Amino acid sequence: MKYAVLSPNQKLICFDHNNQVAEYCLRVDNDELNQYAADHEYTYETMTPTEIGQLYTEVGADYGGCLIYETREILDTMKEHEVEQEYINQANELFNSSTLNNEIDCPGFLEDILGELTPISPAQMTDGIYFMRNIDSPREEKDNG
């Protein structure tokens, strides 16, 4: 399966494997977290785990995190919305091009389609590692009784 990842700064990159996606998203999130901490003069060594968790929540609310999509779903949605075949072909070529081994500016014709799709959560791909997009999401409460 192939994945397209849209970063918060609207850069697009593709990966063939979910572990590559997870590593990229974690790196992008950590870079943003470190920048935020530096800007606010926070020092991890002096912070409690609770304060670091709160920091993740603050940054996640401001920053948002990466959005992950299956490339097949993007192409299928383009067909469903009757996007011109030329754009579908361009997207397919882009997803299979070595160009997307590096971040590129997201093409405008893809931005609208991505807005129609529900992104995959990074946590879904990583056995529950916390990312900014899921740190403050609702959780299922279980009754121990």
Side-chain angles (χ1 to χ4, degrees):
M1 194 169 309
K2 194 165 192 113
Y3 302 95
V5 180
L6 184 64
S7 70
N9 61 357
Q10 300 302 301
K11 298 291 185 182
L12 189 68
I13 189 168
C14 274
F15 298 99
D16 291 321
H17 304 287
N18 62 349
N19 62 333
Q20 295 169 314
V21 173
E23 288 174 20
Y24 172 81
C25 292
L26 189 58
R27 187 183 79 243
V28 169
D29 282 356
N30 284 339
D31 289 348
E32 188 64 28
L33 184 70
N34 291 336
Q35 184 62 49
Y36 186 88
D39 290 347
H40 290 84
E41 298 180 4
Y42 295 137
T43 307
Y44 295 122
E45 293 79 20
T46 62
M47 297 175 73
T48 67
T50 302
E51 290 170 329
I52 293 172
Q54 181 62 34
L55 182 61
Y56 260 97
T57 302
E58 288 175 30
V59 174
D62 289 343
Y63 161 77
C66 294
L67 302 174
I68 305 164
Y69 306 93
E70 291 181 13
T71 56
R72 174 59 36 213
E73 185 178 2
I74 295 169
L75 295 171
D76 289 346
T77 301
M78 291 177 82
K79 290 174 187 171
E80 287 172 16
H81 285 83
E82 299 178 358
V83 172
E84 291 179 36
Q85 189 62 43
E86 176 185 336
Y87 289 119
I88 295 171
N89 293 343
Q90 282 181 340
N92 192 35
E93 287 175 25
L94 185 64
F95 295 149
N96 292 305
S97 165
S98 61
T99 302
L100 270 184
N101 290 336
N102 298 305
E103 294 177 329
I104 64 165
D105 290 328
C106 185
F109 70 90
L110 283 179
E111 287 180 2
D112 293 336
I113 293 299
L114 296 179
E116 296 287 322
L117 298 170
T118 301
I120 300 167
S121 164
Q124 290 174 285
M125 305 183 91
T126 61
D127 297 327
I129 292 175
Y130 291 106
F131 285 88
M132 286 182 214
R133 289 196 57 80
N134 72 330
I135 193 83
D136 199 32
S137 64
R139 66 170 207 246
E140 291 181 28
E141 302 229 0
K142 306 229 186 238
D143 184 13
N144 291 334

